[in-house]
Amino acid sequence: MATPRIKAILRGSGRNYYLKLLSAKPANLIAYWPLWEASGSVANDFSGNARHGAYTGVTLGEIGIGDGRTCPWFDGIAQNDRVNVYSTGLASAVSFSEGSIMVWAKVNSAAVWTDAVNRIMFSLNSGGGESIYMDKLDASSIRFNYTGNGVTRNYALAGLSDIDWMCLAFTWSVANAECKCYKDGVLVQTLLAPDPWTGSLWVDGANIGQVYVGAGNNWHGWLAHAAMWNTPLTETQVANLAAL
């Protein structure tokens, strides 16, 4: 039986999902990597800011979220499976006081949830202990984390077993004194205000599917439509981006 996402493709809905993402706070969109390249090593930034990333080790051209596009597969074993999205332009544009990250993720199988390995979806690191990331914990959980200036705000959404695509988003705001965690367009937790980084984005510390270049914690499954803004998205905007 066709899944809802396959039915959406057949109806033609969702094919312009990327236009929906581009229209979400476009003045604040600092990078958007659809990850739909069929070949090559460049993960193109469609924000218009030319902050392109680099594929290493992944298998391109896999079936995507249901928008008629493809995505990369991460084998979860080799430490070189990643999309390195660091650039000097990204480092200068990212805000550690106000921002959002988003990515669609799908595990390779239900066994990934209980494989006792932390697996990164989207990670920003200073190289000095400061970090912003979303990952799968080793206990059927997704963790949302902001660590700045020695202060950590995080939340683990437990009891998960999803084997379909998930849309995950994390926002932070010093002005609003909160961080917000979202799964599939639903606000699942509001955290205390972040303590902004005192450092800067590390050259090896901006990755999709890996914590940092050369490290482990690799994603095992598929990732698509990763994006960053230098402002927190609203709850309505996140809900809109979680739907095809």
Side-chain angles (χ1 to χ4, degrees):
M1 180 178 294
T3 67
R5 296 197 187 283
I6 295 298
K7 290 178 181 177
I9 296 174
L10 296 176
R11 291 195 306 268
S13 63
R15 287 186 176 275
N16 292 323
Y17 175 81
Y18 74 100
L19 295 177
K20 179 192 289 190
L21 194 148
L22 288 172
S23 67
K25 295 208 172 193
N28 300 101
L29 181 64
I30 60 176
Y32 168 37
W33 306 278
L35 306 179
W36 59 30
E37 288 80 13
S39 61
S41 61
V42 178
N44 288 287
D45 170 22
F46 272 69
S47 72
N49 295 314
R51 294 166 182 147
H52 308 303
Y55 292 114
T56 299
V58 302
T59 300
L60 299 177
E62 297 282 301
I63 296 173
I65 67 171
D67 59 347
R69 306 286 184 165
T70 62
C71 71
W73 181 72
F74 299 73
D75 66 16
I77 302 171
Q79 292 189 359
N80 67 336
D81 272 26
R82 64 176 177 271
V83 188
N84 181 352
V85 295
Y86 177 87
S87 67
T88 55
L90 185 70
S92 64
V94 65
S95 169
F96 300 113
S97 296
E98 311 290 322
S100 305
I101 56 174
M102 190 202 87
V103 69
W104 287 72
K106 181 180 179 181
V107 299
N108 182 61
S109 69
V112 173
W113 287 112
T114 55
D115 66 5
V117 178
N118 290 12
R119 298 191 179 279
I120 288 287
M121 301 163 194
F122 201 145
S123 179
L124 306 174
N125 282 274
S126 69
E130 295 178 304
S131 60
I132 300 169
Y133 60 80
M134 298 184 292
D135 73 342
K136 186 226 60 148
L137 277 170
D138 57 6
S140 300
S141 302
I142 290 174
R143 176 172 52 182
F144 304 82
N145 182 89
Y146 185 111
T147 298
N149 196 27
V151 178
T152 294
R153 310 294 190 198
N154 66 26
Y155 171 69
L157 177 63
L160 300 178
S161 59
D162 304 53
I163 57 173
D164 198 358
W165 283 98
M166 305 172 288
C167 182
L168 304 167
F170 184 52
T171 71
W172 57 93
S173 173
V174 172
N176 296 333
E178 64 188 12
C179 301
K180 291 187 173 184
C181 314
Y182 298 87
K183 178 181 181 288
D184 295 329
V186 177
L187 176 65
V188 294
Q189 186 70 21
T190 299
L191 304 174
L192 297 175
D195 201 322
W197 287 22
T198 57
S200 57
L201 191 61
W202 178 30
V203 65
D204 287 336
N207 291 276
I208 299 163
Q210 188 177 59
V211 63
Y212 56 84
V213 174
N217 304 107
N218 298 79
W219 184 246
H220 191 188
W222 299 264
L223 296 170
H225 295 291
M228 293 178 59
W229 294 259
N230 61 7
T231 190
L233 296 176
T234 67
E235 293 183 29
T236 298
Q237 287 167 331
V238 172
N240 186 47
L241 291 176
L244 289 179

